[in-house]
Amino acid sequence: MTALKLSLMAFSLVFWAAGLTMLIVGLWAKVALGSYLALSANGCPSAPAVLLATGAAVLIWAFLGCLGAATEHRGLLRAYGAFLTAVLAAGLTAGLSALLYRRDVAQGFREGLRRALLAYGEDEGTADALDALQRALSCCGVESYRDWLASPWGLRQNGSVPLSCCRARRGCQRRPPGARGLHRDGCFGKVSAFVSANMFYLATAALGLALLQLVGVVLACLLAARIPARLMGIAAPR
């Protein structure tokens, strides 16, 4: 009984740390990546909000789980186990959806970049986000810098590209054929390469979190199941 209590309390502490991490990542994504995520055409701007809500819920329930283990509260332990099961199911569903619909997600991001490029100069917020993305990733256009040449903004500028496409801060020759000072790679390819390179680490982290939650469910259920038996054993001699 004592080993179960200590194990569940230790798990709750680790789970609480995971919730705090999600909360911090959500805040960082909201502040630092909000403008980039807004370029997507398939609902990615809601991702930071999901991380924030999930992180806050995990923080609260991890504390309640630790409290339930310390006080041997059967109802609280069962509720904690149910919450862990729900989080595990939601995480697996989200992971499988991202895996199965990764092409749709990629296509949505490409479409969002194209819309931003076509609306460049008309929507200041979108233009600032696209400029920031091109500077941060050292890229230009969706597939290459040539995307700008046929865009409405590029045609108005006599076949030019934005200053954010220049490798040097001081600027460059922004009209072909003098394109040696431009970032030649497209932004979509850069983002896709980054996601592909880190997919293994993301999948490993998701699997580790799922196994951790499964351990928590087992511990909570075992402890909740043993509490009534222990109380009955104490009451029997009376």
Side-chain angles (χ1 to χ4, degrees):
M1 190 71 175
T2 302
L4 280 176
K5 286 175 59 176
L6 292 177
S7 298
L8 186 57
M9 291 175 70
F11 165 82
S12 298
L13 181 62
V14 175
F15 196 49
W16 185 89
L20 182 61
T21 302
M22 283 189 284
L23 197 63
I24 293 173
V25 172
L27 287 172
W28 172 77
K30 185 72 173 178
V31 174
L33 302 180
S35 58
Y36 300 157
L37 294 174
L39 295 174
S40 177
N42 54 11
C44 285
S46 61
V50 172
L51 280 174
L52 288 171
T54 305
V58 168
L59 284 176
I60 295 172
W61 276 100
F63 172 76
L64 292 177
C66 190
L67 180 64
T71 59
E72 299 182 10
H73 194 291
R74 184 178 60 175
L76 196 54
L77 288 171
R78 287 180 174 176
Y80 186 43
F83 173 77
L84 290 174
T85 304
V87 172
L88 175 61
L92 291 176
T93 302
L96 289 175
S97 298
L99 184 63
L100 294 175
Y101 297 103
R102 60 186 183 279
R103 293 184 179 179
D104 294 338
V105 174
Q107 185 60 34
F109 186 69
R110 177 188 274 135
E111 183 62 28
L113 286 176
R114 287 175 178 166
R115 291 180 186 178
L117 190 141
L118 293 175
Y120 192 84
E122 299 175 2
D123 186 337
E124 288 299 323
T126 302
D128 290 342
L130 188 53
D131 282 334
L133 181 68
Q134 292 187 145
R135 290 193 183 97
L137 299 182
S138 299
C139 59
C140 184
V142 181
E143 307 295 341
S144 74
Y145 74 94
R146 297 184 182 277
D147 294 330
W148 284 104
L149 307 182
S151 69
W153 183 89
L155 294 175
R156 290 195 299 268
Q157 301 296 322
N158 298 320
S160 181
V161 300
L163 187 63
S164 57
C165 283
C166 295
R167 294 177 182 174
R169 281 282 186 179
R170 63 179 181 274
C172 59
Q173 175 62 40
R174 293 185 284 160
R175 292 187 180 87
R180 286 178 292 181
L182 300 178
H183 299 301
R184 293 179 175 271
D185 297 327
C187 294
F188 177 73
K190 284 288 187 77
V191 173
S192 297
F194 175 80
V195 173
S196 298
N198 292 275
M199 185 61 70
F200 172 77
Y201 301 105
L202 293 173
T204 302
L207 180 60
L209 184 59
L211 291 176
L212 181 67
Q213 291 168 345
L214 187 60
V215 170
V217 172
V218 172
L219 288 174
C221 291
L222 285 176
L223 185 56
R226 286 182 64 87
I227 288 173
R230 185 184 179 214
L231 294 178
M232 289 173 62
I234 294 175
R238 296 181 182 177

